[in-house]
Amino acid sequence: MIDIDPIIRKANSEDIPAVAEIYSLIHQKEARGEVAIGWNPKTYPIRETAEKALLDNTLFVMTIDDEVVASAVINHIQLDAYSLPQWKYPAPPDKVGVIHTLVVNPNYTGRGLGKLFVAFFENYCRLEGCEVVRLDTQEKNIGPLNMYPKLGYHLAGIF
């Protein structure tokens, strides 16, 4: 766990290089076989992923001592696969908060930052009037697949 309080805030244009670097570091780890995420380094996530989310005002970053150490996109967009499961808690699309592309700088993993980001996401969505929250991850991305159930999330399907 981390012994200081990170700050989570909406991203700004100065954060984009750091977010893109986190994406790159994760892609490099996967290329070396150190992690299995399932992302394509040529298409997702890439710098343009962060830039689009910034333009949409949905990119958030976590900082420690002004260094960006994690990021995520928070919005109401549910991918096509979200229409497949029978949701335990159905809700209209505008009342569903969704977190996408939650990443932690590999130099900061294992300190509980992902859990802190998910807690922020839940609270943010609650304050925004969301009735439910949803998330997804790649089937081979073991870290989140292990973490999310510990946080009370239930597997709705594998697609």
Side-chain angles (χ1 to χ4, degrees):
M1 291 303 264
I2 198 121
D3 59 351
I4 60 172
D5 289 328
I7 295 169
I8 301 175
R9 59 170 172 75
K10 288 263 181 124
N12 60 54
S13 59
E14 291 80 30
D15 298 320
I16 295 297
V19 173
E21 177 64 15
I22 293 171
Y23 297 162
S24 178
L25 291 170
I26 292 170
H27 288 310
Q28 290 169 33
K29 284 183 71 83
E30 186 160 24
R32 291 190 303 265
E34 297 172 17
V35 296
I37 308 291
W39 287 336
N40 182 333
K42 294 180 180 178
T43 60
Y44 183 86
I46 56 176
R47 182 185 183 99
E48 289 79 7
T49 306
E51 291 172 339
K52 181 181 181 329
L54 180 67
L55 288 174
D56 293 342
N57 200 31
T58 60
L59 182 64
F60 291 78
V61 294
M62 175 186 286
T63 63
I64 297 174
D65 294 333
D66 296 323
E67 178 185 359
V68 174
V69 297
S71 75
V73 177
I74 299 173
N75 57 32
H76 299 283
I77 297 172
Q78 298 179 75
L79 304 174
D80 291 342
Y82 281 53
S83 66
L84 299 174
Q86 183 74 19
W87 292 104
K88 184 175 181 177
Y89 303 106
D94 64 329
K95 295 294 184 180
V96 177
V98 185
I99 191 168
H100 308 271
T101 324
L102 172 58
V103 294
V104 175
N105 182 316
N107 297 322
Y108 287 86
T109 58
R111 300 180 189 188
L113 299 182
K115 291 176 186 174
L116 288 174
F117 220 124
V118 171
F120 169 84
F121 157 66
E122 293 169 345
N123 190 54
Y124 177 83
C125 289
R126 186 178 304 110
L127 295 173
E128 292 291 310
C130 293
E131 296 172 4
V132 298
V133 294
R134 296 183 180 150
L135 44 82
D136 61 67
T137 191
Q138 294 283 339
E139 184 178 6
K140 62 172 90 174
N141 195 354
I142 301 302
L145 285 175
N146 288 331
M147 177 181 75
Y148 293 145
K150 292 176 185 174
L151 299 177
Y153 288 89
H154 305 279
L155 180 65
I158 297 175
F159 310 101

